[in-house]
Amino acid sequence: MVLALIAAFMVFVDGTIVNLTLAQLASHLHASRSELEWAVSAYTLSFAAVMLGAGAITDTLGAKRAFVAGLLVFTASSAVCAAATSMLVLNFARLVQGAGSALLLPSALILATASATDEQARHRLVGWWAAAGGVGMAAGPLLGGALVALANWRSVFAVNVVIGIPAALWSIRSMPTTARGSRRLDIAGMGCATALIGGLVFALVQAPAQGWLSPAVITAAALAVTGLVGFVWAERSTRAPLLPPGVYSDRRFVAAAAQGALFNFAFYGLLFAMSLMLQQGRGLSALVSGLLFLPLTGLISIGSICAAPLARRIGRPVVLGIGQAVLATTFLAVAWASTSSALWLLVLALVPAGFSSGLLVSTMTSQSIAAVEPALHGAASAVFNTSRQIGAAIGVAAFGPFLGGTHNLREGFIVCVVVGAAATAVALLLTALTRRATVAAAPRGSLNAQAPRATSSHDTPDNLPERA
């Protein structure tokens, strides 16, 4: 259990900690804006690509083997990141690091709950696991700022090695071996999905610097289209598809996946833009910048705790609508606060942004899983996670050009935040349309059409963990 908590912390902290190294990377390694975008996007890109099949990989290898393999890959790639002398090496290592994280996540959850003797104990262990991830995500900016201030950007990656090596040795010696499953791997589907996601994100990141008609961007776009066509063909040809038809046939699930992508687009785009705005635009230190992130990341855990009771009381669609409305409004408040030299206004504006984000993360996860049959919960979770990571990668890729050059970062930041508000407004529209369609499809006189499903052991997804 302890090892699973450590793994969850490491995976989630690396999703946010690197944002506080961007200013030093630009200075020490002479990184361009697109290279800085890749320092963040490379991790989420490979995480998304491998996560789609991570459950099947874990089932095929066994939880212990998948955990140890993921931990070794994550630790070794972190060492390469720490020793990198160029952005090319760093970003390639970040790609590998994201793949290791994707292997760690589902295997760690299985191992965390292996000792549960009943359903209540299982949910309690899942809660601890989710809390470790939430603490990691919240601590990322602050920990990154502190490490950069005390040492330099290399320490952000070196700390993974310091933790990862003992954890790997401990897991090999003490972790019980788990049985392998009989599930077949959809290798063709995984390869095509990787080509699709990688080509799409590469084109979006490189196009502003190289031009949309440059050979590299055109090649990446062609790879993405080829990957899409190949993925559709592969999924129709295999008996064990990564994306079962029952997952995407429900409009509620499709809406939840789209909302997850839109949320991560806005949230991770904001993290990227805000880090550069505070350090390069306002000249603040990495430590002070990390502290300013706390109202945003720290309150996500509190919002997540409040989400399930609220959903039981007023229904998931209502919680989604409230959270999205508050977040969209808060984005506009952040844009206004950023025009003032007083930092306390920005801090106040970030408080409701963090809380509403916590409401949304938990509720969207619950909605995505409740929309499908229990047998498809694992596949739905993988697809939902993947859609969110794709949204995060595209958000960072899009917010880079919106942010502009170092001479006008404050103006560019306002543009970024307004775009984030617009993306959240689109998610709110999806919530309204989905709820209306569900009500219209429900039988007349049904009083529970919008009530949260919550009675069986399969319908308790509000406690499931999720990458924020």
Side-chain angles (χ1 to χ4, degrees):
M1 179 63 186
V2 174
L3 284 170
L5 296 180
I6 293 173
F9 180 87
M10 292 172 66
V11 168
F12 288 122
V13 79
D14 262 69
T16 56
I17 194 172
V18 175
N19 285 283
L20 273 296
T21 70
L22 297 178
Q24 276 202 3
L25 289 175
S27 174
H28 292 185
L29 297 183
H30 310 290
S32 65
R33 179 61 55 79
S34 64
E35 287 174 328
L36 292 178
E37 292 169 24
W38 273 114
V40 179
S41 296
Y43 183 84
T44 55
L45 187 158
S46 58
F47 192 102
V50 178
M51 174 57 69
L52 196 58
I57 294 173
T58 300
D59 192 29
T60 300
L61 296 179
K64 178 179 179 177
R65 295 180 183 89
F67 182 88
V68 172
L71 187 56
L72 290 175
V73 169
F74 180 86
T75 303
S77 57
S78 296
V80 175
C81 287
T85 57
S86 69
M87 286 301 297
L88 179 63
V89 174
L90 175 67
N91 290 337
F92 180 78
R94 285 283 285 169
L95 277 170
V96 180
Q97 191 183 41
S101 295
L103 281 178
L104 273 176
L105 202 59
S107 57
L109 179 57
I110 291 173
L111 293 167
T113 57
S115 61
T117 56
D118 53 41
E119 193 69 12
Q120 184 176 1
R122 187 180 72 85
H123 284 302
R124 183 170 61 252
L125 292 173
V126 169
W128 280 103
W129 186 89
V135 170
M137 200 209 73
L142 179 59
L143 182 60
L147 289 172
V148 169
L150 294 173
N152 55 38
W153 64 268
R154 296 184 188 278
S155 61
V156 169
F157 302 104
V159 70
N160 291 333
V161 182
V162 174
I163 298 173
I165 292 177
L169 294 174
W170 185 11
S171 61
I172 292 172
R173 294 188 59 183
S174 63
M175 189 174 288
T177 301
T178 54
R180 298 187 182 189
S182 58
R183 184 177 177 183
R184 297 179 60 184
L185 286 179
D186 181 11
I187 301 297
M190 292 175 61
C192 291
T194 301
L196 167 61
I197 297 169
L200 175 63
V201 174
F202 184 91
L204 290 173
V205 172
Q206 295 300 122
Q210 298 184 10
W212 285 100
L213 297 179
S214 66
V217 173
I218 292 177
T219 301
L223 180 65
V225 173
T226 303
L228 175 60
V229 174
F231 184 76
V232 173
W233 175 83
E235 294 304 280
R236 290 182 174 180
S237 304
T238 182
R239 295 181 179 179
L242 292 176
L243 192 59
V247 171
Y248 57 81
S249 61
D250 191 294
R251 69 180 65 189
R252 291 180 302 161
F253 176 81
V254 174
Q259 289 168 334
L262 288 167
F263 171 79
N264 269 36
F265 171 89
F267 185 84
Y268 279 88
L270 174 64
L271 291 182
F272 177 82
M274 186 171 160
S275 175
L276 291 177
M277 185 272 291
L278 291 176
Q279 295 183 76
Q280 293 184 344
R282 288 182 177 255
L284 300 178
S285 68
L287 180 58
V288 173
S289 299
L291 288 169
L292 290 175
F293 273 97
L294 274 181
L296 178 63
T297 58
L299 285 174
I300 288 179
S301 296
I302 298 177
S304 296
I305 293 172
C306 297
L310 282 174
R312 286 193 293 269
R313 182 179 294 271
I314 61 178
R316 277 189 292 264
V318 178
V319 175
L320 279 177
I322 293 174
Q324 289 158 347
V326 171
L327 185 60
T329 304
T330 301
F331 267 115
L332 298 178
V334 169
W336 171 78
S338 67
T339 63
S340 173
S341 58
L343 290 175
W344 65 270
L345 288 174
L346 182 61
V347 171
L348 285 180
L350 290 173
V351 169
F355 183 79
S356 59
S357 294
L359 288 179
L360 290 174
V361 166
S362 179
T363 309
M364 287 186 302
T365 305
S366 301
Q367 186 79 342
S368 67
I369 296 176
V372 301
E373 295 299 320
L376 297 175
H377 281 180
S381 178
V383 174
F384 180 72
N385 270 303
T386 300
S387 68
R388 289 192 60 202
Q389 299 317 309
I390 293 173
I394 294 176
V396 173
F399 278 39
F402 292 151
L403 194 58
T406 55
H407 62 284
N408 61 349
L409 284 177
R410 291 197 184 188
E411 292 81 359
F413 179 74
I414 293 175
V415 174
C416 290
V417 178
V418 171
V419 170
T424 309
V426 172
L428 176 59
L429 178 61
L430 284 175
T431 297
L433 293 176
T434 305
R435 186 183 185 191
R436 182 177 301 175
T438 304
V439 171
R444 289 182 177 273
S446 174
L447 299 177
N448 297 317
Q450 293 300 318
R453 300 168 54 190
T455 56
S456 74
S457 61
H458 295 298
D459 287 335
T460 54
D462 297 293
N463 293 321
L464 288 175
E466 179 56 32
R467 179 183 175 88

